Amino acid sequence: MLATVMFGAGDVRIENVPDARLIEPTDALVVVTRAAICGSDLWPYKTMEYSETGRRMGHEAIGIVEAVGADVRTLKFGNVVVMPFAYSDGTCVFCHEGLHTSCIHGGFFGTRDVDGAQAEAVRVPQADGTLVVLPVGTDDALMPSLLTLSDVMATGHHAAVAAKVGPGRTAAVVGDGAVGLCGVIAARRRGAEQIILLGRHPNRIALAREFGATDVVSERGDEAVERVRELTDGFGVHSVLECVGLEQSMRTALSIARPGGSVGRVGVPQDETMPASRPVFYNNVTVSGGPAPARAYIEELLPDVLEGRIEPGRVFDRVVRLDEVPGGYRAMNERETIKVLIEF
Ligand SMILES: [Zn+2]
């Protein structure tokens, strides 16, 4: 079968690889019908050292169950399923707490343990706990929005949860990538009365406004902090959704939280240390977040997608076939596009 393999920075190829197959009795084999390129795929795209064997990419997918292992109970051939970016058993102590990304039998797609989903098929470990059956056909018009439940919409939602967004509160979203835009959707969905987007790309800002952003701050650094304060009676916001992961974006996020506020960070941190330690301390700012337990959120978000109350699929502004995926990485990396959908 064909799959996306990254061999090093800037070097993504579509390769012939051994067919995905069942290995464990708890596995499902899923034929992929939609996948995506993620902003987090761009970190290795910028920095990965050359590897002879390469890395199998992709952790967002919708597909059709082709086969299930002997211990799989809830899935059958032909089910249309969405795959969260992490697999999980659904039964351990952390899954019961809704923290599926810490599942003691879990892990992440597109890593050394499990192959990626930018491929014609993918092996899904812990299939009963991981996959969610969708009540639609594979060509449903809602497919792009349903696909965001794999990662970006769930991650934006997680940022809003971690930042304690709620009715009557003010929120700021740092980052205008797909996750930041989904963070705007999530902040509005949770009732924030003011939603400030920190971003600078006109097409992304326009989409953010349609998603519910009330204000936009395009400055950076100290000027951005100043602007947010101006927009919030000088105090800063109750809730900050940090959706980038760089030192500067984190510093900005921590600096625009008002005293007693919360920062929910979902941008994968690119640094070992966290900046702005003193203002965070003196302002009693809560810092939370991490990888989103997407599996925990799909059931909550799915009805909103199915009934059209949220349209996170609008973050996809380019569709490619599998053989065009290397160009998709390039386009996303050069910011020609917000997020790339892969159709099979
Ligand atoms: Zn678990």
Side-chain angles (χ1 to χ4, degrees):
M1 68 170 194
L2 296 172
T4 304
V5 185
M6 187 179 291
F7 289 91
D11 185 0
V12 173
R13 305 177 213 164
I14 305 305
E15 297 276 291
N16 239 313
V17 300
D19 285 349
R21 61 186 178 89
L22 301 176
I23 296 176
E24 303 292 335
T26 46
D27 288 349
L29 178 64
V30 171
V31 172
V32 177
T33 56
R34 301 281 193 302
I37 303 175
C38 186
S40 64
D41 295 335
L42 298 179
W43 295 124
Y45 190 76
K46 291 182 209 293
T47 60
M48 183 178 157
E49 282 184 33
Y50 179 77
S51 143
E52 204 143 301
T53 46
R55 174 177 157 190
R56 295 275 293 276
M57 300 300 295
H59 53 257
E60 302 156 281
I62 284 175
I64 304 170
V65 174
E66 172 76 14
V68 295
D71 293 348
V72 174
R73 296 282 169 265
T74 60
L75 301 158
K76 57 177 198 293
F77 174 83
N79 283 156
V80 177
V81 288
V82 60
M83 179 194 100
F85 67 87
Y87 59 90
S88 52
D89 59 12
T91 56
C92 79
V93 57
F94 294 110
C95 286
H96 279 303
E97 290 174 7
L99 196 56
H100 297 66
T101 41
S102 294
C103 177
I104 59 177
H105 300 116
F108 297 90
F109 291 96
T111 61
R112 201 170 303 162
D113 303 330
V114 180
D115 288 332
Q118 291 163 5
E120 290 180 309
V122 62
R123 176 178 81 91
V124 178
Q126 305 293 346
D128 278 331
T130 303
L131 296 171
V132 178
V133 177
L134 296 173
V136 293
T138 52
D139 284 331
D140 196 279
L142 292 172
M143 274 299 150
S145 284
L146 292 165
L147 180 58
T148 66
L149 299 176
S150 267
D151 185 348
V152 286
M153 185 59 223
T155 296
H157 176 72
H158 187 54
V161 171
K164 302 181 186 160
V165 177
R169 286 171 60 102
T170 53
V173 178
V174 179
D176 60 9
V179 170
L181 293 167
C182 288
V184 172
I185 296 175
R188 182 186 204 179
R189 184 179 170 277
R190 293 177 69 81
E193 73 175 21
Q194 184 181 23
I195 303 170
I196 304 168
L197 176 80
L198 282 79
R200 48 201 307 152
H201 299 85
N203 60 328
R204 300 172 186 217
I205 289 169
L207 189 52
R209 285 197 185 275
E210 289 183 46
F211 283 162
T214 55
D215 302 278
V216 174
V217 169
S218 293
E219 289 86 349
R220 276 187 173 167
D222 292 344
E223 286 175 40
V225 175
E226 189 82 0
R227 282 284 297 133
V228 172
R229 293 224 176 102
E230 281 168 22
L231 290 166
T232 53
D233 298 329
F235 295 142
V237 294
H238 295 101
S239 301
V240 186
L241 291 68
E242 200 289 321
C243 305
V244 181
L246 292 172
E247 200 270 348
Q248 190 195 42
S249 60
M250 193 62 197
R251 183 180 295 279
T252 300
L254 295 167
S255 304
I256 60 177
R258 65 188 255 153
S262 299
V263 177
R265 58 190 193 130
V266 294
V268 181
Q270 300 302 302
D271 298 285
E272 288 294 317
T273 56
M274 210 186 285
S277 155
R278 283 216 181 84
V280 165
F281 176 84
Y282 284 106
N283 289 327
N284 277 282
V285 170
T286 301
V287 181
S288 184
R295 181 63 182 80
Y297 297 141
I298 290 176
E299 273 116 348
E300 179 184 345
L301 297 171
L302 182 58
D304 281 25
V305 171
L306 291 173
E307 288 153 33
R309 286 188 291 276
I310 58 174
E311 296 180 293
R314 294 177 65 195
V315 299
F316 290 108
D317 57 353
R318 185 169 300 192
V319 180
V320 301
R321 314 299 297 190
L322 184 58
D323 62 352
E324 300 166 329
V325 164
Y329 272 81
R330 206 173 312 120
M332 264 181 76
N333 193 47
E334 285 164 14
R335 305 218 170 205
E336 282 169 28
T337 174
I338 303 173
K339 191 169 175 68
V340 173
L341 175 69
I342 309 165
E343 275 189 1
F344 290 77

